[in-house]
Amino acid sequence: QVQLVESGGGLVHPGGSLRLSCAASGFTFSDYTVDWYRQAPGKQRELVAIINSGGSKMYGDSVKGRFTIFRDNAKITVYLQMSSLKPEDTAAYYCHATDFRLDYWGQGTQVTVSS
């Protein structure tokens, strides 16, 4: 059974940090490009970060220098380390995996940045 399960969301104060996890099962995870998207109420979905099968990374402009994406293929997990969080980072965060033929999505995890 193919699954992507996100975890690690929660409530954090501005300036704080969180680490999101995306755990995969049921497919050859190491061959897939994995990315994190986020969507806030009333806003369009935004690409946050991408890591491909070779480990190359890209980030959205709004999170560059604050967020880091990395993967542990042995643990079949991709992580999003988020630092210096701002209220505008508040959103539901979704993990997505693709080999450009097949696409898998997680159910999302909520991140709320508020004092």
Side-chain angles (χ1 to χ4, degrees), residues 12-18 66 82-87 89 113-115:
V12 62
H13 293 308
S17 298
L18 280 176
R66 300 188 299 120
M82 307 186 295
S83 303
S84 303
L85 283 161
K86 305 174 181 179
D89 294 318
V113 185
S114 175
S115 55

Side-chain angles (χ1 to χ4, degrees), residues 16-59:
S17 298
L18 280 176
R19 178 179 289 186
L20 305 184
S21 299
C22 172
S25 62
F27 61 100
T28 310
F29 177 75
S30 58
D31 292 343
Y32 280 65
T33 290
V34 180
D35 36 49
W36 286 93
Y37 285 84
R38 68 186 182 186
Q39 188 163 22
K43 294 188 177 181
Q44 288 190 328
R45 187 175 64 186
E46 177 186 11
L47 178 62
V48 176
I50 302 172
I51 185 166
N52 70 11
S53 58
S56 296
K57 307 172 187 180
M58 292 181 63
Y59 298 93

